[in-house]
Structure formats: structure tokens, C-alpha cells
Amino acid sequence: MNSIHIVILAAGKGTRMRSARPKVLHPICGVALIDRVLEAASALGPETTTVVVGHEAARVRHHLGEKPQLFTVVQEPQLGTGHALLQAEPVLKDRSGTVVLLSGDVPLLTPATLQALVQAHHQAGAAATVVTATVPRPFGYGRVIRKEGEIVRIVEERDASPAEREIREINSGIYAFDLAPLFEALRGIGAANAQGEYYLPDLVGIYRRQGRIVTTWHVPNANEIRGINSRSELAEVSEMVRQGKNEELMAAGVTLVDPATTYVDSGVEVGPDTVIHPGVYLEGSTHIGSACEIHSGTRVVNSTVGDRVTLLNHSVVTDSTIGAGCSVGPFAHLRPGTVIGAEARVGNFVELKNTALGDGAKANHLAYLGDATIGERSNIGAGTITCNYDGARKHRTVVGKGAFVGSNSTLVAPVTIGDNAYVAAGSAVTQDVPADALGIGRARQENKAGWVTRRKEEVNSEK
Ligand code: UD1
Ligand code: CA
């Protein structure tokens, strides 16, 4: 077996992005460019994977983390793609096999294309195989120059003659190389071109002059090799990925009322018969069950939603879990650590944070429940507030099962309301309420008979 070594170029500044964030860390539908490339590359079962970093190297390295057989090498300064690949020599010098060179900014390559590339490369017994594509607008790409059908060299946009610029077959920036002659040949690349950079595509001309075999693999779907150099290209490619995801969801039985305005990240799963209305955002590692209804303006991030859940308009759900058959919103805010049991109700202008709401419990209007545990079937009245923060520390509020907290109560944590207990409306609860008890924490009402009449007489007599 011939081993595969992946090298991903990701050292460039990405000048045209005009961003403080390294280009390869920009996400498309929730997944960073570099992670998309790594994911496709992993299908080849590589022996090693090397990422060439440079601009904001520490940030890219931090993002990549530590993984077995994943290496990073630093290219400093960044003198071009040929110079970039040369930096991988310390990792690859005592190895053999095939190098598959990928670009950190070409995120849509499929495993099938990479497999086809490797196969074509091996069949041709080539020193280099270039992935090419034919595109309607080749502007900005390196053009493939052929003689008698064979690739002889690649010329960059800025160095191309007007006639060469007419060529629509372009270099994708993806290649397979035989490792044996590679690094010596790379040292032969010069920088006599419009950008004064060491161009990796120059290797094609060098190999041809040395009489080595260079071949091409023409990718049928040119969209796959779309490179991202600007925000505008980022948006175009994101749109393609998003539409693909929406098609996938619809094919799996999800109704999208308006796919054009439905934003679902690549890592999201949605069950069949769920209906998603326009302007919904499902992000990160979100799982939505089947037969749910998600109304307009709702955003769900890294959360798990059970079957038959209704999320009404303009609700925001982050790092939370919602049980089957619940109804949430409109205008509900479920912040991190919220866990809602089955068949529970969370109504308008209710905010939950780090709070468990038991099966069948209700908080239907205008409440803040933070750092709380609410037992099953309990009812939290309108305007209930947990005072979970004393200015320095957070404290928990515990409400038992089947309890009833009257409207406009303030529950000053730490405090416990027992099972089946009642809290009178308007109470400031500072002490525990035992199970089955009624807690009243407010001044007793007093009515002063005839007070208004006497007041009016006083005012009149002063005139
Ligand atoms: C490159 C190719 C071009 C091809 C196009 C496909 C060269 C000279 N040109 O052009 O033929 O059509 O890709 O998308 O290779 N990088 C480094 N270090 C450097 C320079 C670049 O790591 O010193 C990395 C970048 O971060 C990027 C990749 O290499 O991930 C490609 O560089 P970029 O500047 O985008 O090359 P293009 O102009 O797109
Ligand atoms: Ca590029």
C-alpha cells in the first residue's frame, strides 16, 4: 500500500478578506474552512496530515488542537505556495508515498474527488497530478497551458498574456505529488514573476523539463474547487452549502416553508415531519426531533429538541435541552444549561438559565428562572423572579413537584419551596416553604373605609 500524506496550505494572510480572523477559521454554515478541508482529507486515511500555518499561526494551531498524526509547520515569512509546501519537509523527509496537497481556502472538495485524484495519479505513474476544472469566469485562477493535449505549465492571472487569459481550464490548487522527487524539485522554483513569490504551480514546468510524468484530473463539478478569497466569495459558497443542506433536509422529510430564508448549519439534524418557517436559524450541533414546528425568527444553538415540540416566534435557545411535546415562546429565551422536561410550557417573555423545568411544568408569562430546579407539574406564575445572584455569588432555587408559585413572587435564593406548596401572589420569599404549606411573604392588606371621601372634603375646605 502506498501511504498518503496530506499537506494543507493555510499560512496566507487572506488579505482580500480584510479580517483580523485568519481566513481558514472563517465558518461556512457553522464549520471553519480548515475543518471542512480536514474532514474531506480524512476520507483518504492519511498516514500524516500537515497544516502549514503562518499568519496568526498561534490562533490556527489553537483551533486545530492536538490530534494523532496531525502536524503543523510554520511558514514565516510567507513567500508563496511553493515555499509553503517546502516547510513540510521536516515532517515528510524520511517518509514515502503520495502527497495530496490541499488549500485551506478550498472547502467544498469531496472525498470522492480526492479518491479519484489519487487513483488517476497512481494509474499514470505521475510525479505530479493537478486537479483542474473548466469554469465560465477563470479570472484570478492559474490557467492550464497544454501542448498536444498534455499539460506543460500553469500561468498565474497576473503573469498571463491576453491569449492565456482566455483559457478557461484552471488550476484548482489541489495536487497529488510523488514524495520522492518533491522537495528537491521545490528548491528549484524561482520567484521571477509578477508577485515575486515562489509559485508551487511552477513545479509542473520543472517536472516537464525533467521529463517526468505530469497529468491532470479534471473535476466535473467546478463548484467543488471554489476557492474563498473575499467576503463575497465566502457568502456565495455559504449559499451553495446552505442550499445543499436544505435539499438534504427536505429529502429526509422536513418541510421548509421557504428554503431561501432557512439557515441550518451543516452539523444540525432534523427529524421528519418537522415544519420550519422562514427566518429560522438552527446552529452548531443542534438536534431537532420529528413533527416539531419552528416558527419564524427563532434561533436554536447547540441544543437538543425532542419530538412534537412547538417553538413559537422569536425564541432564542442556546446550549439547552427541550423534552418531547413542549411549547416554547413566543419571545422566550432559553440560556445555557436549561433542561425542560416533556410536555412543559414556557411562554412569552420568560427567560431560563441553568434551570431544570420538570415534566408538565409551566412558566407561561414574564418570568426569570435562573439556577433553579422546578419540579414536575409545578406552575410558575406571571412575573416570578428568582433572585439567584447576591452581588457576589449565585444560589439555587428549588421548587418541588406540583407546587404553585403565585404571580409576581420573588424567590430569594437559596430557597426551597416544597412539593405541592403554594406561594401567595406578590410574595418576597426569603425562607423555605414546607411541602403542602402556603407561604405568604407580603404585608397584610388593610382597607381604610371612607378615606377617599374624607380626603376630598379636606382638599375642598382648603380652597
Ligand atoms: C493559487 C494558485 C492558482 C490556483 C488557485 C486556486 C499559486 C501561485 N497559485 O492561487 O494557480 O488557480 O490557488 O485556488 O499557487 N499560502 C501559504 N503561504 C503562502 C501563500 C499562500 O500557505 O506563502 C496558502 C494560502 O493561505 C492559501 C493557499 O496557499 O490557503 C493558496 O494561496 P492564495 O494566495 O489564495 O493563492 P491563489 O492566488 O488563490
Ligand atoms: Ca486562493
Side-chain angles (χ1 to χ4, degrees), residues 16 23 103 105-106 227-229:
R16 286 164 281 178
K23 175 162 75 176
S103 245
D105 64 350
V106 179
I228 290 175
N229 299 300

Side-chain angles (χ1 to χ4, degrees), residues 8-16 23-24 34 51-55 75-85 87 101-106 130-131 138-144 154-159 170-175 193 195 197-202 225-229 233:
I8 302 174
L9 302 189
K13 191 156 183 290
T15 313
R16 286 164 281 178
K23 175 162 75 176
V24 296
I34 187 80
V51 182
V52 182
V53 296
H55 177 70
Q75 183 201 19
E76 187 59 58
Q78 289 103 46
L79 301 178
T81 48
H83 177 253
L85 177 53
Q87 311 311 309
L101 185 100
L102 305 173
S103 245
D105 64 350
V106 179
V130 183
V131 177
F139 181 81
Y141 287 100
R143 308 299 204 283
V144 174
I154 292 167
V155 61
E156 292 304 303
E157 172 82 32
R158 295 204 228 180
D159 303 297
I170 57 119
N171 168 26
S172 68
I174 311 300
Y175 319 78
N193 52 55
Q195 297 192 89
E197 285 187 358
Y198 298 88
Y199 287 165
L200 179 56
D202 285 359
I225 53 94
R226 282 287 302 263
I228 290 175
N229 299 300
E233 286 169 346

Side-chain angles (χ1 to χ4, degrees), residues 45 69 71 88 94 112 172-173 196 215 217 221 258 278 348 390 403 411 428:
Q69 298 311 305
F71 304 89
D94 298 323
S172 68
T215 187
W217 164 252
N221 176 7
D258 180 16
N348 37 211
D390 63 11
L411 309 179

Side-chain angles (χ1 to χ4, degrees), residues 130-403:
V130 183
V131 177
T132 71
T134 305
V135 297
R137 288 175 296 140
F139 181 81
Y141 287 100
R143 308 299 204 283
V144 174
I145 311 293
R146 291 181 181 271
K147 210 180 229 165
E148 288 154 13
E150 300 281 306
I151 183 170
V152 288
R153 63 191 173 89
I154 292 167
V155 61
E156 292 304 303
E157 172 82 32
R158 295 204 228 180
D159 303 297
S161 67
E164 287 168 339
R165 284 188 186 145
E166 295 297 313
I167 296 170
R168 295 191 303 116
E169 187 186 10
I170 57 119
N171 168 26
S172 68
I174 311 300
Y175 319 78
F177 296 115
D178 177 12
L179 186 46
L182 181 62
F183 288 103
E184 206 195 309
L186 283 175
R187 273 186 279 274
I189 292 176
N193 52 55
Q195 297 192 89
E197 285 187 358
Y198 298 88
Y199 287 165
L200 179 56
D202 285 359
L203 207 58
V204 172
I206 291 174
Y207 276 165
R208 287 300 306 235
R209 286 194 292 281
Q210 291 176 350
R212 293 185 194 274
I213 299 171
V214 180
T215 187
T216 55
W217 164 252
H218 190 269
V219 57
N221 176 7
N223 279 337
E224 264 192 49
I225 53 94
R226 282 287 302 263
I228 290 175
N229 299 300
S230 64
R231 305 272 183 167
S232 164
E233 286 169 346
L234 184 71
E236 277 176 46
V237 172
S238 296
E239 169 79 13
M240 281 163 40
V241 173
R242 196 160 68 73
Q243 279 176 6
K245 179 72 183 184
N246 286 349
E247 288 296 334
E248 218 176 85
L249 292 174
M250 291 188 284
V254 179
T255 293
L256 304 184
V257 174
D258 180 16
T261 60
T262 304
Y263 302 83
V264 182
D265 278 356
S266 300
V268 172
E269 289 171 9
V270 184
D273 284 324
T274 285
V275 176
I276 302 179
H277 290 265
V280 165
Y281 295 75
L282 305 178
E283 300 178 15
S285 56
T286 290
H287 296 251
I288 308 280
S290 52
C292 292
E293 183 132 12
I294 307 183
H295 289 269
S296 294
T298 286
R299 176 166 174 243
V300 185
V301 184
N302 297 331
S303 295
T304 300
V305 176
D307 297 338
R308 293 173 284 100
V309 168
T310 303
L311 299 179
L312 291 158
N313 304 65
H314 302 289
S315 295
V316 177
V317 178
T318 307
D319 296 316
S320 295
T321 302
I322 301 175
C326 287
S327 169
V328 171
F331 302 103
H333 190 185
L334 272 45
R335 292 169 51 205
T338 296
V339 179
I340 298 182
E343 310 289 337
R345 296 273 171 280
V346 174
N348 37 211
F349 307 107
V350 172
E351 174 182 351
L352 283 84
K353 187 218 70 173
N354 193 24
T355 284
L357 191 65
D359 292 354
K362 292 177 189 165
N364 270 332
H365 332 266
L366 301 159
Y368 170 60
L369 303 172
D371 302 305
T373 303
I374 315 289
E376 56 193 56
R377 292 172 289 100
S378 285
N379 186 87
I380 305 298
T384 297
I385 305 287
T386 53
C387 306
N388 57 325
Y389 185 52
D390 63 11
R393 282 174 303 155
K394 302 277 173 68
H395 303 279
R396 285 203 76 80
T397 300
V398 177
V399 176
K401 297 175 188 171

